[in-house]
């Protein structure tokens, strides 16, 4: 029985490849990392920037949760994650590198998902929200207990940026931009 299941899986994979369909895959790219060369050149991936609360690494690692969610879905995604595992602002040139990396990848992204946690300050997130409010690719998740929630709500309304209160609201929205890419 085991051989027939493996054979069936191989046939399905071969059929996808022969029809030009590529299998689902999710990669996460962080500063100072590189994608495999074949992935970096492949334009069939949807690129998603994970903007939002990091709070110098002390905030909840919601980006890891997003990687798990994307990995469980159909589709091909590259997640741009600005959270560094070993952030050291005292390294010469590191702040310049980080800011330039974020600005470049925000511009490259097909979709920007910004998640602002209620217990955070997230000043850089607010700056990035202002920069990309008119881009048509920004989707904001802002917990209602965020101290500047009203500012976020009013700005999103003014510029037509979709606003969600929770990650689940974002994922369950019928107009979810990620689901449209599948």
């Amino acid at each position: 029985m085991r051989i027939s299941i493996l054979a069936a899986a191989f046939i399905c994979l071969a059929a996808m490849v022969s029809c030009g369909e590529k299998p689902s895959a999710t990669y996460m790219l962080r500063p100072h990392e590189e994608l495999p060369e074949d992935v970096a050149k492949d334009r069939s991936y949807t690129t998603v920037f994970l903007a939002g609360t990091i709070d110098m690494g002390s905030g909840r690692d919601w980006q890891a949760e997003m990687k798990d969610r994307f990995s469980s879905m159909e589709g091909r995604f590259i997640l741009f994650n600005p959270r560094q595992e070993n952030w050291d602002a005292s390294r010469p040139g590191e702040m310049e590198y980080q800011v330039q990396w974020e600005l470049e990848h925000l511009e490259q992204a097909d979709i920007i998902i910004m998640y602002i946690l209620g217990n955070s300050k997230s000043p850089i997130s607010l700056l990035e929200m202002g920069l990309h409010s008119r881009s048509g690719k920004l989707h904001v998740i802002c917990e209602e207990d965020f101290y500047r929630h009203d500012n976020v709500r009013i700005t999103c309304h003014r510029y037509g940026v979709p606003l969600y209160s929770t990650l689940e609201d974002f994922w369950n929205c019928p107009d979810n931009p990620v689901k449209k890419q599948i």
Side-chain angles (χ1 to χ4, degrees):
M1 185 68 164
R2 186 172 268 179
I3 294 173
S4 63
I5 292 172
L6 288 174
F10 180 74
I11 290 168
C12 289
L13 183 59
M16 284 175 28
V17 171
S18 68
C19 294
E21 292 182 34
K22 296 183 177 186
S24 295
T26 300
Y27 291 89
M28 185 175 285
L29 180 67
R30 298 173 187 261
H32 301 290
E33 296 178 352
E34 292 188 24
L35 293 167
E37 189 175 337
D38 60 323
V39 173
K41 292 180 180 179
D42 188 338
R43 298 294 167 229
S44 68
Y45 286 89
T46 298
T47 54
V48 180
F49 192 98
L50 302 178
T53 302
I54 295 176
D55 285 343
M56 300 299 284
S58 66
R60 178 175 126 218
D61 190 359
W62 63 270
Q63 295 90 347
E65 297 168 29
M66 294 293 274
K67 170 115 184 342
D68 292 343
R69 184 71 179 245
F70 275 92
S71 295
S72 71
M73 298 171 51
E74 293 292 320
R76 297 170 64 75
F77 303 100
I78 297 172
L79 308 179
F80 298 142
N81 181 0
R83 181 188 291 262
Q84 290 194 43
E85 293 292 319
N86 300 304
W87 168 249
D88 181 0
S90 68
R91 265 189 300 207
E94 187 60 24
M95 183 59 75
E96 176 81 17
Y97 173 85
Q98 179 73 23
V99 172
Q100 293 295 343
W101 188 95
E102 290 186 35
L103 292 171
E104 178 182 333
H105 288 84
L106 280 159
E107 290 174 9
Q108 285 179 12
D110 298 313
I111 300 168
I112 300 169
I113 299 172
M114 178 173 289
Y115 185 23
I116 302 173
L117 299 175
N119 62 351
S120 71
K121 296 293 181 208
S122 300
I124 304 306
S125 299
L126 296 175
L127 170 78
E128 292 170 345
M129 188 182 96
L131 287 172
H132 295 280
S133 289
R134 295 181 180 179
S135 68
K137 58 186 181 178
L138 178 62
H139 299 265
V140 176
I141 304 151
C142 183
E143 294 179 352
E144 293 181 1
D145 59 338
F146 180 61
Y147 80 116
R148 292 287 184 231
H149 182 270
D150 281 341
N151 296 80
V152 171
R153 179 184 54 77
I154 293 164
T155 302
C156 286
H157 179 76
R158 177 166 184 128
Y159 295 107
V161 175
L163 176 62
Y164 313 89
S165 296
T166 66
L167 276 175
E168 284 310 308
D169 289 347
F170 170 77
W171 286 115
N172 294 329
C173 177
D175 293 332
N176 183 298
V178 175
K179 293 177 184 174
K180 290 180 180 181
Q181 299 297 317
I182 300 173

